[in-house]
Amino acid sequence: MPLRRRLLALVALVLALCLVAGGALTYWQGLRKIELEMSSAIEVADSAVGDAMSTIGASPDAAAYLHRIITSFDGDRHVVARLMAPDGKVVDASRLRRPVDPAPTWLYKLLSGPVHSRRFELPTELKHHGVVTIEADPHSEIGEVWEDLKLKVLIISGFCAVVLALIYAILGWALRPLEALSAALARVGEGDYTAHVDEAGPEDLNLIYRAFNRMAAQLKTAEQQNQRLNEQLSTVQEEERAEIARDLHDEIGPFLFAADVDAQSIPLLLSRDAGDDVVSRSKAIRQSVQHMQLHLRSILSRLRPAMLIDQGLTHAVEQLVAFWHARRPQIAFKTDIEDARFPANIEEAAFRILQEGMSNAVRHGNPSTIELSARRTEGGTLRVVISDDGSGISATSTRGFGLVGMKERVAALGGRLSVNGQVAEKGVILIAEIPLPIAAHDQTKHASAA
Ligand SMILES: Nc1ncnc2c1ncn2[C@@H]1O[C@H](COP(=O)(O)OP(=O)(O)OP(=O)(O)O)[C@@H](O)[C@H]1O
Ligand SMILES: [Mg+2]
């Protein structure tokens, strides 16, 4: 059930309970009022009839006297007087004033309390006239309560209707900003991160809107980054594939061809009985195969760096340097990699940083020297440094994913990365400090103590 309807139902329930409580109170008050009225009416009538009856003996016409007593109650609202014959029949009765708007029977049954009546015996010589009775009749009083009740119900119902209508309108007005928020959330749920909520409302809701807008903006940025990363990834993959295809073509192709030519020539040489030539050709084939094995391993290690790192960071960096040295022989590479094992995730992070740092230096800096180092520090970190003497990072350089990726990688391991390039006169110095687990740190202390 929507919040608005739920709150409305709650208020309606509270009002209904108030109405019931009010009804119960009115009923109790009505009962008391009727009881009081009836008893006082019967008391007044009792004394009036009693007085009249005390002088009936002196009356010359008792029947007329009795009729006057009875008719003196004509038009009374509460008391009816009757003259009952000795056989119990009503001989004479006063006319009760009936209420204009009589109460319904059910209310009468609910409110009419005990019967209040009195009986007046006549002196012995007048006994043949019967007895005079008076009885309180609550109809008129209950009619009053009924009218009162109707008015109260009308007023309270009107009040409840007005209150409910007001609450409905106020809730609608108060919840409208939340509807905007819920629509915006639905848009975000469907992947539309441009959703925005106007911060024009009560301060506490504005806090939520602000948080929502910030979240949507961050999601949008993350989505854009993701998109760029994907594009980048596919470009990198394509570049890598092209490079591997070139390597296979340039490095493996000629040797395969040479091995094939050598293999084809062997039967011819055998038919000419040129044994020495056969031996030299078979040696050539073996050289070609060895050459191909070497290149194949280098290609595989690029495809699966984890395999490379399995043999230790020093070995992996050597391979990396060999790879770039083959492509950029004019660059001097200097390495200082600690010959030790670190936790696998730290070794991989260090390798990736060295790989990207080196690739950046070669691609963007045009340096003559690149230095790589990875060493444990006294502070319990693995310090990875890549420095070059190239052009340095220009102020107009575009943001790629390499530096961001490195930062994230280091941050994920609780470390930090600093890039000193913009201010450096020449080249770039990239330093990553990766915290080592306690055990690895202790090893450093022992090593330095020894
Ligand atoms: N060693 C460096 N020498 C000169 N410029 C550098 C060096 N390292 C980074 N830069 C500059 O910083 C920019 C950002 O580097 P980053 O590695 O983040 O991205 P990229 O290399 O351009 O692209 P990507 O790494 O995503 O393929 C580079 O475009 C380059 O201009
Ligand atoms: Mg890069």
Side-chain angles (χ1 to χ4, degrees):
M1 200 200 267
L3 182 64
R4 194 182 189 183
R5 222 177 288 164
R6 204 180 285 189
L7 283 172
L8 217 62
L10 205 70
V11 174
L13 183 75
V14 171
L15 287 175
L17 285 177
C18 289
L19 213 66
V20 170
L25 198 70
T26 311
Y27 170 71
W28 180 71
Q29 275 179 337
L31 265 185
R32 278 191 56 203
K33 184 176 171 232
I34 288 162
E35 174 58 25
L36 210 69
E37 283 286 324
M38 293 305 102
S39 53
S40 57
I42 205 81
E43 285 307 325
V44 172
D46 180 69
S47 80
V49 176
D51 285 351
M53 292 296 276
S54 63
T55 57
I56 191 166
S59 170
D61 185 353
Y65 191 82
L66 280 173
H67 181 66
R68 271 204 308 279
I69 292 178
I70 299 298
T71 52
S72 70
F73 282 94
D74 275 352
D76 196 286
R77 286 168 60 236
H78 296 322
V79 178
V80 61
R82 291 188 190 94
L83 178 65
M84 316 276 281
D87 59 0
K89 279 192 186 144
V90 177
V91 182
D92 198 2
S94 66
R95 282 192 317 279
L96 197 70
R97 180 144 49 104
R98 292 275 165 194
V100 190
D101 181 13
T105 325
W106 61 266
L107 189 67
Y108 182 78
K109 281 186 184 157
L110 269 178
L111 290 175
S112 57
V115 177
H116 294 270
S117 63
R118 297 287 154 85
R119 191 182 161 91
F120 299 89
E121 299 288 341
L122 293 175
T124 324
E125 63 278 15
L126 297 173
K127 272 245 190 288
H128 60 278
H129 285 289
V131 288
V132 174
T133 63
I134 50 170
E135 188 182 323
D137 186 305
H139 272 97
S140 180
E141 204 56 40
I142 293 176
E144 268 179 28
V145 172
W146 170 237
E147 270 180 29
D148 193 35
L149 190 72
K150 277 197 299 185
L151 189 70
K152 272 186 187 162
V153 167
L154 200 73
I155 292 172
I156 294 175
S157 308
F159 171 77
C160 289
V162 170
V163 166
L164 286 178
L166 273 178
I167 289 177
Y168 186 78
I170 289 171
L171 280 180
W173 173 78
L175 293 178
R176 200 168 307 140
L178 285 183
E179 279 167 19
L181 183 66
S182 121
L185 277 170
R187 279 176 63 194
V188 167
E190 283 160 13
D192 177 6
Y193 303 133
T194 56
H196 180 88
V197 196
D198 284 339
E199 291 171 26
E203 191 44 41
D204 32 9
L205 281 184
N206 275 350
L207 286 176
I208 301 175
Y209 298 159
R210 214 163 294 146
F212 170 84
N213 288 339
R214 246 196 333 263
M215 179 195 78
Q218 272 173 3
L219 280 173
K220 196 169 161 206
T221 317
E223 191 198 28
Q224 283 168 349
Q225 266 183 0
N226 212 5
Q227 210 172 338
R228 273 171 54 198
L229 199 61
N230 276 337
E231 282 166 13
Q232 179 76 16
L233 214 63
S234 55
T235 321
V236 169
Q237 275 175 356
E238 271 164 31
E239 273 177 18
E240 269 177 8
R241 280 192 199 136
E243 201 161 333
I244 288 164
R246 219 170 24 246
D247 276 5
L248 283 172
H249 176 269
D250 296 350
E251 303 288 352
I252 310 283
F255 290 98
L256 270 177
F257 178 69
D260 185 42
V261 171
D262 287 342
Q264 275 179 29
S265 66
I266 287 176
L268 200 75
L269 292 171
L270 281 176
S271 68
R272 280 200 218 138
D273 211 12
D276 289 350
D277 285 348
V278 172
V279 172
S280 75
R281 287 298 154 93
S282 79
K283 273 186 189 161
I285 291 173
R286 282 202 65 203
Q287 274 173 357
S288 296
V289 170
Q290 278 168 358
H291 191 90
M292 284 188 286
Q293 275 175 337
L294 201 72
H295 279 290
L296 210 58
R297 210 170 297 136
S298 123
I299 291 170
L300 282 177
S301 63
R302 266 159 50 215
L303 286 172
R304 298 277 316 273
M307 232 167 65
L308 197 69
I309 302 167
D310 274 352
Q311 294 170 50
L313 197 57
T314 322
H315 172 77
V317 174
E318 272 169 15
Q319 296 291 309
L320 198 64
V321 169
F323 172 83
W324 280 116
H325 181 65
R327 283 152 185 84
R328 297 282 195 281
Q330 74 278 13
I331 301 177
F333 294 97
K334 292 182 187 164
T335 57
D336 175 23
I337 309 296
E338 185 155 334
D339 194 11
R341 296 310 304 255
F342 302 98
N345 57 341
I346 293 181
E347 279 188 346
E348 195 194 333
F351 177 74
R352 291 296 189 188
I353 291 162
L354 289 165
Q355 192 180 34
E356 173 62 18
M358 206 162 157
S359 147
N360 272 355
V362 174
R363 280 169 63 198
H364 308 300
N366 193 23
S368 54
T369 310
I370 297 178
E371 291 183 28
L372 308 166
S373 89
R375 290 227 154 254
R376 273 190 281 226
T377 63
E378 281 293 314
T381 61
L382 178 65
R383 188 181 161 93
V384 180
V385 183
I386 306 110
S387 60
D388 67 74
D389 57 357
S391 62
I393 299 176
S394 77
T396 56
S397 73
T398 51
R399 268 187 68 186
F401 286 91
L403 289 176
V404 177
M406 275 192 267
K407 259 186 192 137
E408 283 174 359
R409 212 181 262 282
V410 175
L413 293 170
R416 59 198 171 80
L417 180 105
S418 69
V419 188
N420 180 357
Q422 291 92 332
V423 287
E425 280 287 301
K426 207 157 166 57
V428 172
I429 303 173
L430 204 121
I431 302 169
E433 297 268 6
I434 308 171
L436 288 167
I438 307 291
H441 182 203
D442 284 349
Q443 279 176 24
T444 319
K445 282 192 174 158
H446 294 321
S448 55

